[in-house]
């Protein structure tokens, strides 16, 4: 009954309601953005020629754009103007004789004409665009290399049109994948769609939000303790009652996380999601209890909040995964939670992490009691 009353009391707090509504609004915005253009780059293409290689490249871009949005221009001047105005991430100016370019590349001859890449500024997008273009042209170059090899080593320099047609059919059936963007799960789930590419950071954002909820819960606990809320509850000496206090605070945020994952289409399986979320919530609860035991003042926790948030973002693969910090990442519960969704190993490490934090909580709760007993014994 007391936990139900505590839940009603929390739902009357403006700060608690604002914290919940902020995430709900963010999730709805994320989902609405996924209905729009899912491209992560916009590339302008000017192809003056109409040879076989040029047509094959354009067909490839149209049929399988991936996460790139391609715009085709009738003249080079318009493409350069849009690049200068930064309407495009980059532009590709193809030579008029793409067949000749591919033939020279395949035979390792000196190249006079090249594909020109226009960029508004140098950066990661330039490197990414170059890799995408090379992957698209690779099929034509590889086919030409195959022609040259068969003509010189198999057909003694003479190859008929019929034999060339048969080679084309065989080459077309080869499993050459020129797609740069393809996402899948190590546990065998199906690959994600373009919507999921946009929503990839959502799970990490939700995990960090839960971590901030834990810091807020620690502040609520200190404030309620100062206001005498626990005078009739005997909270300070009962670990289980304290965990129940935090669990009530995390009840609604946990439901919001599960709803957000399901609503945005990144929900995996019920048992895995609930198991990982429960372990992660217990880790945050224990961390909040340790934070209260060590700091004991709202002001100190407020000062540490930006530091803890920045550290959590750096050590968690929310936007960028720094593999050089893998040793430090193992100290962050958010890292274990995000990896546990598709890896049983990290689900077990998350459980171990929760047990270790529980042992530390018990030590911090029991140590002051033992110290008071020893001090009282000395006085007597």
């Amino acid at each position: 009954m007391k936990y139900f009353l505590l839940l009603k009391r929390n739902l009357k707090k403006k700060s608690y309601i604002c914290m919940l509504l902020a995430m709900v609004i963010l999730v709805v915005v994320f989902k609405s953005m996924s209905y729009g253009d899912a491209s992560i780059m916009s590339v302008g293409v000017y192809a003056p020629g109409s040879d076989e290689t040029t047509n094959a490249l354009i067909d490839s871009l149209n049929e399988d754009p991936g996460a790139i949005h391609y715009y085709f221009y009738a003249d080079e001047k318009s493409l350069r103007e849009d690049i200068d105005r930064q309407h495009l991430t980059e532009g590709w100016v193809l030579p008029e004789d793409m067949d000749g370019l591919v033939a020279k590349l395949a035979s390792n001859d000196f190249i006079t004409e090249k594909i020109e890449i226009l960029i508004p500024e140098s950066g990661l997008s330039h490197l990414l665009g170059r890799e995408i273009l090379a992957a698209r042209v690779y099929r034509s170059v590889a086919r030409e290399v195959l022609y040259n090899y068969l003509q010189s080593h198999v057909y003694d320099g003479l190859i008929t049109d019929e034999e060339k047609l048969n080679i084309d059919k065989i080459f077309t059936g080869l499993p050459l994948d020129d797609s740069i963007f393809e996402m899948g799960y190590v546990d065998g789930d199906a690959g994600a769609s373009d919507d999921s590419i946009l929503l990839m950071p959502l799970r990490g954002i939700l995990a960090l939000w839960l971590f901030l909820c834990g810091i807020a819960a620690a502040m609520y606990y200190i404030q309620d303790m100062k206001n005498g809320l626990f005078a009739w509850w005997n909270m300070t000496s009962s670990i289980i009652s304290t965990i129940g206090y935090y669990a009530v605070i995390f009840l609604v945020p946990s439901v919001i996380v599960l709803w957000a994952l399901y609503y945005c289409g990144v929900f995996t399986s019920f048992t895995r999601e609930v198991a990982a979320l429960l372990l992660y919530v217990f880790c945050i609860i224990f961390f909040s209890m340790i934070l209260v035991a060590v700091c004991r003042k709202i002001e100190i926790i407020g000062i540490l909040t930006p530091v803890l948030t920045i550290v959590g973002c750096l050590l968690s693969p929310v936007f960028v995964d720094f593999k050089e910090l893998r040793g430090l990442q193992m100290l962050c519960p958010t890292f274990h939670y995000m990896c546990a969704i598709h890896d049983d190993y990290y689900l077990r490490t998350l459980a171990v992490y929760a047990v270790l934090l529980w042992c530390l909580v018990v030590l911090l709760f029991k140590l002051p009691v033992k110290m008071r007993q020893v001090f009282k014994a000395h006085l007597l």
Side-chain angles (χ1 to χ4, degrees):
M1 184 64 181
K2 59 184 179 182
Y3 295 112
F4 177 73
L5 295 175
L6 183 61
L7 178 61
K8 289 180 61 178
R9 180 177 178 273
N10 289 334
L11 293 176
K12 294 179 181 179
K13 290 182 178 180
K14 294 181 180 179
S15 59
Y16 186 72
I17 296 299
C18 289
M19 184 171 61
L20 300 178
L21 287 179
M23 182 49 61
V24 173
I25 294 173
L26 181 64
V27 169
V28 173
V29 170
F30 260 78
K31 184 62 177 178
S32 62
M33 289 174 58
S34 68
Y35 291 126
D37 186 10
S39 61
I40 62 175
M41 286 180 61
S42 56
V43 177
V45 181
Y46 170 61
S50 59
D51 51 25
E52 183 181 356
T53 303
T54 301
N55 293 332
L57 177 60
I58 293 176
D59 291 341
S60 173
L61 298 179
N62 284 323
E63 293 172 1
D64 185 20
I68 312 297
H69 197 100
Y70 296 99
Y71 299 91
F72 297 93
Y73 286 76
D75 60 281
E76 184 178 347
K77 182 181 177 181
S78 300
L79 174 60
R80 291 185 179 273
E81 289 177 353
D82 285 349
I83 290 292
D84 293 337
R85 295 168 184 167
Q86 296 190 354
H87 293 167
L88 299 171
T89 308
E90 68 178 56
W92 298 344
V93 179
L94 306 181
E96 190 169 355
D97 186 14
M98 280 290 292
D99 283 344
L101 174 63
V102 169
K104 290 180 180 180
L105 285 173
S107 57
N108 202 20
D109 291 342
F110 180 74
I111 299 173
T112 55
E113 288 186 306
K114 299 181 181 179
I115 300 176
E116 186 178 2
I117 300 178
L118 308 175
I119 54 173
E121 57 184 10
S122 181
L124 180 61
S125 61
H126 169 53
L127 300 176
L128 182 61
R130 188 173 61 182
E131 293 296 327
I132 294 171
L133 179 58
R136 297 291 182 163
V137 180
Y138 169 74
R139 179 176 286 273
S140 298
V141 177
R143 182 175 57 184
E144 193 66 27
V145 170
L146 180 60
Y147 286 156
N148 294 342
Y149 178 83
L150 293 177
Q151 188 171 3
S152 59
H153 292 81
V154 178
Y155 295 101
D156 296 327
L158 298 174
I159 183 171
T160 64
D161 292 338
E162 184 179 356
E163 291 169 340
K164 195 173 182 179
L165 184 60
N166 291 332
I167 294 173
D168 282 338
K169 291 181 179 179
I170 296 173
F171 183 82
T172 305
L174 293 177
L176 294 178
D177 187 8
D178 55 3
S179 177
I180 297 291
F181 297 95
E182 184 175 354
M183 188 179 73
Y185 295 123
V186 295
D187 59 357
D189 287 357
S193 62
D194 288 342
D195 290 348
S196 296
I197 293 175
L198 284 176
L199 297 171
M200 278 194 296
L202 179 63
R203 186 182 297 276
I205 293 173
L206 290 170
L208 291 176
W209 175 68
L210 281 178
F211 183 74
L212 291 176
C213 289
I215 297 177
M219 294 182 178
Y220 287 153
Y221 182 87
I222 295 176
Q223 186 179 32
D224 290 339
M225 190 164 51
K226 287 183 178 180
N227 294 335
L229 178 67
F230 306 139
W232 54 276
W233 202 342
N234 193 25
M235 288 278 290
T236 56
S237 61
S238 174
I239 299 179
I240 303 300
S241 297
T242 306
I243 294 175
Y245 172 88
Y246 285 101
V248 170
I249 295 178
F250 274 97
L251 178 62
V252 180
S254 299
V255 173
I256 290 177
V257 169
L258 293 176
W259 164 80
L261 295 174
Y262 180 80
Y263 174 71
C264 293
V266 293
F267 196 88
T268 55
S269 64
F270 181 80
T271 54
R272 177 57 63 93
E273 292 286 357
V274 172
L277 182 61
L278 281 177
L279 290 173
Y280 181 58
V281 167
F282 275 115
C283 285
I284 299 176
I285 289 175
F286 298 151
F287 176 80
S288 302
M289 295 170 67
I290 294 171
L291 199 62
V292 171
V294 173
C295 298
R296 296 184 177 276
K297 289 185 178 180
I298 295 179
E299 293 80 5
I300 299 177
I301 297 178
I303 295 173
L304 292 177
T305 298
V307 178
L308 294 174
T309 304
I310 294 173
V311 171
C313 290
L314 291 177
L315 298 183
S316 305
V318 180
F319 302 103
V320 180
D321 185 12
F322 297 101
K323 292 182 172 57
E324 297 82 4
L325 303 177
R326 187 66 79 210
L328 293 176
Q329 285 179 331
M330 297 297 290
L331 301 176
C332 182
T334 307
F335 170 78
H336 294 269
Y337 166 69
M338 295 184 64
C339 295
I341 298 301
H342 296 287
D343 195 333
D344 292 335
Y345 170 77
Y346 286 103
L347 187 64
R348 292 191 291 267
T349 58
L350 185 62
V352 172
Y353 198 102
V355 172
L356 292 176
L357 287 178
W358 164 254
C359 294
L360 186 57
V361 167
V362 173
L363 181 64
L364 291 175
F365 264 72
K366 297 299 182 181
L367 187 61
V369 177
K370 292 293 183 181
M371 291 178 63
R372 286 197 300 268
Q373 291 176 351
V374 172
F375 181 72
K376 188 179 294 185
H378 281 292
L379 288 178
L380 295 176

